[in-house]
């Protein structure tokens, strides 16, 4: 099988990211006989200036997206793409919008213990499905423990702020990443969007082909 490194640049509170991650997992399973895919989750913050305690999500969205009909149409499109990826969730359900820096710190720390994917998926599920506050330190520690991290390691990951994680998230923004999820294949070729698995498969194959051409 051909090795394929895929970096997923995403933010847990982005509903299109939840769709994109689930779609990627379905595509990866479909490509298992052709590619040996290694996945890394990379941080991105849609709202880096939010206070540590977060804000009321509905009020924030009402101000940011004043066209309610357009917002409803966007949410329905998200749900349709989620169903195509084999799951369903309510993009309007979470009541709080947290600052996600500490959640990204937990994901980054989990890589050392080969638990990064499990932690990232647990965070998505916690925020969108269980409606947990992933801006809360103890909630984050609990998620880390539930996915196999030692409590002291999870606690260390979310205590204080990790400048390196914030700097990495900002570096993607400075590099031109303006929409997430963004998938970077082989540290070379990228594409964005919470697309259906069939489109994700095609995009991954095309990125792999382009990388091979660039290296030939």
């Amino acid at each position: 099988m051909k090795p394929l490194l895929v970096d997923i640049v995403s933010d847990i509170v982005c509903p299109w990211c939840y769709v994109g991650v689930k779609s990627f997992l379905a595509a990866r399973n479909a490509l298992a006989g052709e590619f040996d895919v290694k996945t890394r989750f990379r941080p991105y913050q849609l709202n880096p200036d939010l206070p540590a305690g977060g804000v009321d999500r509905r009020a924030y969205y009402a101000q940011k997206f004043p066209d309610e009909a357009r917002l409803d149409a966007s949410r329905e499109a998200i749900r349709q793409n989620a169903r195509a990826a084999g799951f369903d969730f309510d993009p309007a359900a979470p009541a709080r919008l947290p600052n996600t820096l500490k959640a990204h710190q937990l994901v980054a720390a989990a890589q050392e213990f080969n638990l990064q994917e499990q932690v990232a998926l647990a965070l998505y599920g916690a925020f969108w499905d269980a409606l947990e506050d992933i801006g809360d330190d103890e909630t984050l520690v609990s998620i880390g423990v539930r996915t196999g991290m030692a409590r002291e390691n999870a606690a260390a990951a979310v205590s204080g702020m990790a400048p390196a994680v914030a700097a990495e998230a900002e570096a993607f923004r400075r590099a031109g990443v303006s929409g997430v999820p963004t998938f970077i294949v082989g540290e070379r070729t990228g594409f964005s969007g919470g697309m259906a698995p069939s489109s994700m498969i095609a995009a991954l194959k095309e990125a792999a082909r382009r990388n091979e051409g660039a290296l030939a």
Side-chain angles (χ1 to χ4, degrees), residues 190-209:
F191 60 91
S192 300
M195 60 193 73
S198 57
S199 298
M200 182 73 69
I201 290 169
L204 288 169
K205 284 186 172 182
E206 174 61 16
R209 185 193 66 78

Side-chain angles (χ1 to χ4, degrees), residues 16 19-20 22-28 30-31 80-81 84-85 183 185 190-208:
W16 282 112
V19 174
K22 289 276 199 173
S23 183
F24 168 79
L25 295 177
R28 186 180 65 183
L31 294 171
Q80 288 178 8
N81 279 34
F183 301 86
V185 181
F191 60 91
S192 300
M195 60 193 73
S198 57
S199 298
M200 182 73 69
I201 290 169
L204 288 169
K205 284 186 172 182
E206 174 61 16

Side-chain angles (χ1 to χ4, degrees), residues 3 7 18 24-25 52 65 70 72 78 86 98 106 113 129 160 183-184 187 189 205 212:
D7 287 298
Y18 195 18
F24 168 79
L25 295 177
F65 307 106
R70 187 174 179 180
D72 287 342
I78 290 167
L106 186 67
F113 309 104
D129 302 323
F183 301 86
I184 303 172
E187 300 183 320
T189 304
K205 284 186 172 182
E212 287 182 352

Side-chain angles (χ1 to χ4, degrees), residues 27-52:
R28 186 180 65 183
N29 289 340
L31 294 171
E34 186 174 353
F35 294 100
D36 179 16
V37 181
K38 179 181 178 182
T39 307
R40 295 187 302 202
F41 283 83
R42 310 296 290 272
Y44 191 88
Q45 285 197 279
L46 289 172
N47 310 290
D49 297 326
L50 287 183

Side-chain angles (χ1 to χ4, degrees), residues 135-184:
D136 175 72
D137 285 16
E138 184 52 41
T139 298
L140 290 171
V141 171
S142 176
I143 291 169
V145 171
R146 293 201 306 256
T147 50
M149 292 181 72
R151 172 168 287 275
E152 58 268 27
N153 294 328
V158 303
S159 62
M161 293 294 181
V165 176
E168 185 180 7
E170 180 58 25
F172 282 114
R173 188 182 298 275
R174 291 179 181 274
V177 175
S178 58
V180 286
T182 288
F183 301 86
I184 303 172

